[in-house]
Amino acid sequence: MQKTRLFPLLALYLALVPMTATAQAPTAADAKAFVDKAEEKLLAASIAAERANWVAANFITEDTELIAAEGSQRRMELAAGLAKEATRFDGLALDADVARKLALLKLSLTLAAPADPKKSEELARIAAGMEAAYGRGKWTPPGGEPLDLEEISRRMATSRDPKELAALWAGWHSIAPPLRKDYARYVELGNAGAKELGFADMGAMWRSKYDMPPDAYAKELDRLWEQVKPLYVSLHAYVRMRLRETYGKDVVPEKGPIPAHLLGNMWAQQWGNIYPLLAPKDADPGYDLTKILVEKKTDARQMVRYGEGFFTSLGMAPLPKSFWERSLFTRPRDREVVCHASAWCIDWVDDLRLKMCIEINAEDFATVHHELGHNVYQRAYNRQPVLFRDSANDGFHEAIGDTVALSLTPEYLVKLGLLPKAPPAGKDVGYLLNMALEKIAFLPFGLLIDKWRWQAFSGEVPEARWNQAWWDLKLKYQGVTPPMARTEADFDPAAKYHIASGTPYSRYFLAHVLQFQMHRALAKTAGCTTPIHTCSIYGTRKREPG
Ligand code: X8Z
Ligand code: ZN
């Protein structure tokens, strides 16, 4: 009886359930509508966050720091919420662009908000606070005035006194230990957010942005490093030999690592500043771009005009008027700013800006081109759907401007009227050595920064060994040692902007490979048949087919 009485009910239930399920199961059209709405919300939150970040980076105060933290919190909570909601479309057959956008929702930010709003607020505040603390960083030498990073770097670029160099190095690194406690909490909260999105930790989240599984990306970087490592090893040996001639055997060993403070740069990341110590006798190109720019009384604005001129020579539109009105080109005297160079597109359309404390030297001449490469790229994708307004991966974003800077050949400087005539053939060994000091010296540094972070994020290296692990990597990859003994009372990684600001770094390693591939392809397209380092794509335009 029961059976007979139950049967009609069961039949009714079975008839209704599939109907209800069909009504509720999301469709591909739902996914598309969801993505459209998500893009609209993300755009609004991102513009608000970028505006607040811009003001905070240009006027470092407690208030702007808090306003920036609020904007970032809202944006990352929105992105994390949308990424979690998007899982309801898992397993559905979707249009390729909708599927890609859903995947990008999880990957668009470098920080994932934990669901607990108290925790996401704390994370956003810590992140904003560390960047501001780095931007304010100063070191006061005994009996002297406080020095900012630009001034310390200027002195490190030119001093040849190992004692002074060690003091400058240690002085700047003293800004970092106060960040250690915040960094530990940032790792904890950032990992919590990443795990909620299904990543093993924040490092795995960062490694997931390259269209391959995170482990495959780590392997790919190792593979690339093995390919370029012989170039670095040769350069390292040559530089060590010449530094030994300069500083003597008590300062520079015959074999093994180089003391990190002798390479003309705070982090030993690019060595171009010590070129004068290493210049080959008979093959020096015989010009010094820094000297030329200073002698010509070039100002910061003019440096940017040169950069713009390169891009317009390729047929691109000039920078908008608002760029010239809203950018920051020099360190202001009356307020604290984040001087580390960056390129912005505040409205994600054409409100382009550069923020850079430009120094009149060859290094910043190239950096201006690097930054404008970001701006030009931002403008090139400004009509894409919001989630596609980004580079193929972040290595491409970093590579565009650097690619263009590879075209800043002596012949190009002649065209600008900066050099009277190009150096004769046979003088390009010096030019190439300089290039190696900038580009090859950078490679192991570009790799190790995130190797350190990945270990710290995953817990493979516990906080108690963070500084030791940093120097283990510096030794293994760069072959450099600290100028004096270090302990866990130090926090040397955070003396580098990208660690304090939470900016991923393997992008620069990729860019240092990609830019040569792009330069080669562009030079070929432009019809250059001479050796690749002599090719400049300045003034070349796309030829119409046929
Ligand atoms: O941070 C930068 C750019 C801004 S995206 C100035 N770079 C890295 C650095 O300074 O450490 C460019 C090269 C490497
Ligand atoms: Zn960049």
Side-chain angles (χ1 to χ4, degrees), residues 310-341:
F310 201 109
F311 288 97
T312 53
S313 90
L314 301 178
M316 290 168 194
L319 290 160
K321 190 162 158 271
S322 57
F323 170 91
W324 299 100
E325 292 160 356
R326 297 172 192 173
S327 291
L328 177 99
F329 296 149
T330 47
R331 184 188 264 277
R333 259 177 282 184
D334 56 353
R335 63 178 203 266
E336 304 286 4
V337 302
V338 175
C339 262
H340 190 87

Side-chain angles (χ1 to χ4, degrees), residues 39 57 90 108 110 119 155 157 160-161 166 174 204 213 252 256 259 281 292 303 310 314 329 432 439 486 495 542-543:
E39 291 193 296
D90 284 355
S108 56
T110 47
K119 289 188 178 161
R155 295 183 188 191
R160 305 296 179 232
D161 170 358
S174 71
V252 182
K281 273 201 185 59
I292 295 171
M303 296 270 280
F310 201 109
L314 301 178
F329 296 149
L432 285 167
K439 304 296 182 181
R486 308 306 280 165
K542 186 174 169 228
R543 274 165 281 170

Side-chain angles (χ1 to χ4, degrees), residues 225 232 236-237 240 253 255-260 263 268 271 444-445 448 471-482:
W225 168 239
Y232 182 74
H236 182 279
R240 182 179 53 199
K255 291 194 159 63
I258 301 174
L263 292 156
W271 305 347
F445 182 77
L448 76 83
W471 285 105
D472 290 348
L473 289 167
K474 295 276 284 182
L475 180 64
K476 177 172 175 194
Y477 287 98
Q478 283 186 287
V480 300
T481 42

